[in-house]
Amino acid sequence: MRSRSQPWLLALFALLTVAPLAAGILYALAYSLGLTGLLNTGFTLAHWQAVLGAGVFWQALWFSAAQAVGAISLALALALVVVLWRPGAFQTGLLSFAIYLPLTLPAIVVAFLAFQGLSKSGLLSRIAYALGFIGGLEQFPDLVNDPAGIGILLAHAGMATPFFILLLTQLYEQERVAAYADLAATLGATRRQRILKVQTPLLLRRAFPTVVLYALFVMSAYEIPLLLGSQSRPMVTVLAVEKLQRYNLADIPQAYTISVLYSVVVIGATLWLLGRQKTQ
Amino acid sequence: MIILRSMPALVAAALLWLAGCAPPSAEKPGKAADELLAMPWDSLEHSARNATLTLMMWQGDPLINAYMNDYVAPQLKQRYGITLNIVSGQGAQVVQILMGELQTGKEASAIDLMWINGETFFQLRQIEALWGPWTDKLPHAQYINFENPFIGIDFQQPVAGYECPWGNVQMAIIYDSLKTPRPPADRAELAAFVKANPGRFTIDNQFTGLTFLKALLIDIAGGGQALSGPFNEAKYKQYSAELWAYWRSLQPYLWKQGRTYPEGVAPMHQLFANGELWFTMSNNDCEVDNKVMQGVFGPTARAYVWESGTIQNAHYLGIPRLSANKAAAMVAANFMISPEAQLRKMDPAVWGDGTVLDLNRLPPEWQERFRNLPNRRHAPPREAIQANALMELAPEYMIRLAEDFRREIIQQ
């Protein structure tokens, strides 16, 4: 029997989560169209034209998506290797506790650690120098503040890997992946076939919604790309905040335009994901 | 039964409603302002007793924070009964908060006093977020010479009583005297230096880096007062073209080949301390002394300014138009420009910030105390670099330089 409290709970949920988000997006839309804002003077499409016509926005969007795909792919690959190699390692004992510790690090701390570790004068560079691999710090490769965003990718992958290890460990147990692998073995599957055709597809299919959501989270990151990124190739959030907080108040509507556009992308991706889940 | 089942939702809704209720303001901003300016100072001080004053300021330097938390706050409490609540925020954050308050019709601002200068002052005047004029009311304002262009004019705009001068600094370049015994002293020497030592020089992507670019622009324009006065589009176009051509000639030899720049002086100081950079910069000519004392820089760090000059400017305290504690803000500002507070702030062991007080206007015993302050050990004395002080340019130069630096240099 349907609970009588469900409409109240749904209304409260909408009030607490959806309503503020919708109000924020509507306000940003109004600001970007010149309909509100202290220095705006009425409806205009000038800010939208400026953003859509500027290559830097599309470049930032593409770069953000590429960073998300790259970081998540790397983290997922590492997590899969670990979980398939030792599926029970993180279910009991010290590792089951230790794997949670990296999750407590906020993004800004991870960014600083990555900077201290990967910069030309950082820890890795000093080790390489001590071991004789490089003759001076200028010979150490550019791993942070580089146009390719290697530092950003490694920092995000480092944050995501423990999370995915935990996720895949839970799914491995929940979906009885070991049992399916044993079944496949009895039917003559090799180890390689069991990994590639049974275990990995099972885990990835169940993890897919979480993976997509985490990728969207990485796309929206701010602190890590701010500290480790290059201004010649900013991520979307860094670009939006720069427009919002730099010296020209007339750029603020462009910041809101970027925010609205990006929100459309993220909401669209989330709705696609939900639709996919329903059909399955 | 329905009421029982709905109880969690009702409680949550009630909590939300309560959270939305604003606390009562200490005073009505508009009504009280005129009365404040008409009051005798003793009465104004008395009316500020027991107020809680929210000061928004940059908190990126531990010495400055210690000065405020360990000296200014206790003194305000002890002398005037004012509780100082310091919150972190600067520049664009201040502007964003006040813009939001004005747009939403808020009656009382969350900020009562703020540390501002330059483009922030310009932006706050644009949106009419500042209260004033009020500085003439302060008894200690008699010791400030507002006719001094480095004090009474902020980014080519007269302060006109809308912000109170608090400190005075001049931009300096910091270097390691062991690695660079003879640092470059002009544009030509800098170009030769970076070619001989690639990857060791850069500027930051924020205020200090742009201040360095402004000094270069003034030098290219002929130096001194060449770009003084209101923004001149024709001059800007002419001289910025030369500036970008010069910078592009340096670019391949800069840190990260000039394709990216540190996001502020803090990472730049860290790169200098690590040895990756051989130079860093500061808007405070005394910061090298602070950093050596803190152990962040080595003892061989020194600061200098170019012969062509670096920008000197003051920093200020402003009161939001919607501040509900204007009396307390004025009392606090008056204390912060007192000879005692200014002397303590000027000590290199405390902060090293230049005073805004005209020593000739001070009582003789205070003149003596200011002149007997311990000297800087790693930074040049202010008297030695005063002749190389350039005035800040109109704020439009900063806005255009920031935009064009991104377009002409970073995005190429």
Side-chain angles (χ1 to χ4, degrees):
Chain A
M1 189 157 73
R2 190 184 168 92
S3 164
R4 286 187 194 173
S5 66
Q6 266 192 346
W8 285 101
L9 288 173
L10 282 173
L12 186 63
F13 177 78
L15 189 67
L16 290 174
T17 58
V18 178
L21 183 64
I25 293 174
L26 284 174
Y27 178 80
L29 181 63
Y31 208 118
S32 68
L33 293 172
L35 298 172
T36 187
L38 269 183
L39 299 177
N40 277 339
T41 53
F43 179 80
T44 177
L45 291 173
H47 308 301
W48 281 78
Q49 288 166 343
V51 169
L52 292 172
V56 66
F57 168 69
W58 299 109
Q59 190 184 52
L61 195 61
W62 172 87
F63 184 65
S64 301
Q67 280 291 321
V69 168
I72 296 307
S73 301
L74 178 60
L76 206 50
L78 287 172
L80 269 171
V81 165
V82 168
V83 172
L84 292 177
W85 179 48
R86 287 282 185 268
F90 296 93
Q91 287 180 341
T92 55
L94 184 63
L95 281 179
S96 69
F97 167 75
I99 193 65
Y100 282 96
L101 293 178
L103 300 179
T104 62
L105 294 177
I108 189 90
V109 172
V110 173
F112 272 114
L113 287 174
F115 186 86
Q116 295 294 347
L118 301 175
S119 66
K120 278 184 183 288
S121 53
L123 184 62
L124 270 185
S125 171
R126 290 167 195 264
I127 293 172
Y129 178 77
L131 293 174
F133 295 143
I134 56 174
L137 61 84
E138 60 277 356
Q139 293 174 15
F140 191 76
D142 261 341
L143 297 179
V144 295
N145 302 129
D146 61 303
I150 296 172
I152 302 174
L153 192 146
L154 291 176
H156 279 303
M159 283 183 76
T161 303
F163 175 78
F164 286 141
I165 288 175
L166 279 168
L167 174 69
L168 296 180
T169 300
Q170 299 277 357
L171 287 175
Y172 196 95
E173 179 73 19
Q174 210 172 290
E175 300 298 312
R176 300 176 64 197
V177 174
Y180 282 107
D182 289 342
L183 179 60
T186 61
L187 295 172
T190 62
R191 181 176 159 79
R192 186 183 157 89
Q193 285 172 323
R194 292 200 302 273
I195 289 173
L196 292 178
K197 292 186 184 297
V198 178
Q199 293 169 307
T200 302
L202 269 175
L203 288 173
L204 288 183
R205 197 176 63 186
R206 295 301 293 165
F208 184 74
T210 308
V211 169
V212 171
L213 287 174
Y214 201 105
L216 291 174
F217 166 74
V218 171
M219 244 180 106
S220 313
Y222 177 67
E223 292 99 340
I224 288 177
L226 180 69
L227 287 178
L228 303 179
S230 167
Q231 290 104 19
S232 60
R233 205 167 280 181
M235 283 177 64
V236 172
T237 44
V238 174
L239 180 65
V241 172
E242 189 167 294
K243 291 282 183 189
L244 190 69
Q245 293 191 342
R246 289 288 259 185
Y247 309 108
N248 191 354
L249 294 179
D251 279 349
I252 293 177
Q254 288 189 32
Y256 284 109
T257 306
I258 294 170
S259 303
V260 170
L261 282 168
Y262 185 68
S263 300
V264 167
V265 168
V266 170
I267 291 170
T270 310
L271 289 174
W272 166 78
L273 186 66
L274 284 172
R276 190 176 178 276
Q277 287 296 100
K278 272 196 174 158
T279 53
Q280 283 184 343
Chain B
M1 186 63 80
I2 288 176
I3 292 172
L4 273 174
R5 282 183 181 165
S6 311
M7 196 56 75
L10 288 171
V11 168
L15 285 171
L16 264 176
W17 178 78
L18 281 169
C21 292
S25 349
E27 59 186 62
K28 284 277 181 205
K31 177 175 172 288
D34 295 336
E35 291 175 6
L36 278 177
L37 292 173
M39 279 165 101
W41 183 257
D42 289 343
S43 305
L44 191 148
E45 254 187 34
H46 182 75
S47 73
R49 276 215 164 256
N50 302 319
T52 297
L53 182 74
T54 300
L55 164 65
M56 179 164 272
M57 57 175 273
W58 177 65
Q59 290 191 294
D61 189 303
L63 287 183
I64 299 175
N65 295 343
Y67 171 77
M68 294 302 295
N69 291 323
D70 301 339
Y71 173 69
V72 173
Q75 288 295 315
L76 286 176
K77 186 70 181 175
Q78 185 188 317
R79 295 181 190 214
Y80 309 108
I82 293 172
T83 303
L84 185 65
N85 174 32
I86 300 175
V87 297
S88 181
Q90 57 163 336
Q93 291 160 307
V94 173
V95 177
Q96 293 283 319
I97 289 170
L98 297 182
M99 275 180 83
E101 289 176 350
L102 288 169
Q103 276 173 224
T104 53
K106 212 174 164 200
E107 280 196 359
S109 177
I111 309 170
D112 298 310
L113 186 66
M114 50 203 174
W115 186 14
I116 59 173
N117 80 333
E119 79 284 356
T120 310
F121 177 61
F122 172 69
Q123 292 171 339
L124 292 175
R125 291 301 300 266
Q126 260 187 301
I127 61 174
E128 295 177 7
L130 278 176
W131 179 59
W134 57 275
T135 57
D136 281 348
K137 186 75 182 169
L138 308 185
H140 290 137
Q142 63 177 302
Y143 301 132
I144 298 176
N145 178 11
F146 285 92
E147 301 303 313
N148 179 344
F150 291 106
I151 302 286
I153 295 181
D154 188 7
F155 275 56
Q156 300 288 329
Q157 311 157 88
V159 302
Y162 279 79
E163 54 179 2
C164 178
W166 186 27
N168 180 268
V169 290
Q170 186 165 344
M171 193 192 162
I173 302 171
I174 300 168
Y175 67 103
D176 186 335
S177 57
L178 270 185
K179 285 181 186 156
T180 320
R182 198 181 161 272
D186 56 35
R187 282 184 285 135
E189 288 190 14
L190 177 63
F193 180 89
V194 298
K195 282 172 188 161
N197 303 281
R200 301 301 189 179
F201 183 89
T202 190
I203 60 173
D204 72 283
N205 191 36
Q206 301 284 344
F207 186 80
T208 308
L210 286 169
T211 304
F212 181 73
L213 288 179
K214 278 187 280 185
L216 286 182
L217 191 72
I218 294 172
D219 185 32
I220 289 169
Q225 306 292 312
L227 294 177
S228 287
F231 176 74
N232 185 309
E233 179 73 36
K235 282 187 182 178
Y236 175 77
K237 275 196 168 138
Q238 176 188 351
Y239 299 123
S240 64
E242 289 183 48
L243 173 64
W244 304 135
Y246 171 73
W247 200 261
R248 283 191 205 104
S249 74
L250 301 184
Q251 213 173 349
Y253 312 101
L254 297 176
W255 181 75
K256 305 280 182 186
Q257 293 81 47
R259 287 172 307 186
T260 189
Y261 298 83
E263 202 63 46
V265 285
M268 209 163 142
H269 288 343
Q270 192 161 31
L271 291 167
F272 173 73
N274 283 345
E276 197 169 328
L277 288 176
W278 286 3
F279 297 86
T280 184
M281 298 174 185
S282 175
N283 278 306
N284 180 0
D285 42 314
C286 192
E287 186 168 6
V288 64
D289 269 284
N290 301 149
K291 289 288 182 286
V292 171
M293 247 181 275
Q294 290 170 41
V296 176
F297 294 166
T300 52
R302 299 287 184 273
Y304 78 114
V305 303
W306 284 8
E307 283 300 315
S308 54
T310 58
I311 288 177
Q312 185 185 116
N313 59 19
H315 52 86
Y316 303 81
L317 296 166
I319 300 177
R321 180 156 59 89
L322 298 180
S323 166
N325 288 297
K326 292 186 178 69
M330 291 170 72
V331 170
N334 187 58
F335 171 73
M336 288 156 81
I337 62 169
S338 66
E340 179 185 337
Q342 288 278 307
L343 180 71
R344 192 180 180 100
K345 179 166 68 70
M346 199 167 157
D347 186 343
V350 175
W351 180 348
D353 188 36
T355 183
V356 293
L357 304 180
D358 183 347
L359 298 192
N360 296 324
R361 294 185 177 199
L362 290 173
E365 64 275 19
W366 280 108
Q367 292 188 30
E368 180 98 7
R369 291 177 72 177
F370 271 91
R371 291 194 171 106
N372 288 339
L373 257 183
N375 265 334
R376 301 162 168 192
R377 292 172 58 195
H378 303 89
R382 177 58 72 82
E383 304 80 51
I385 59 175
Q386 184 61 42
N388 306 109
L390 300 170
M391 276 193 68
E392 267 290 5
L393 298 179
E396 291 88 345
Y397 284 103
M398 180 107 151
I399 292 170
R400 292 291 294 277
L401 279 175
E403 288 171 358
D404 292 349
F405 184 66
R406 170 161 285 285
R407 191 178 51 249
E408 299 286 340
I409 302 297
I410 292 175
Q411 286 174 0
Q412 290 306 311

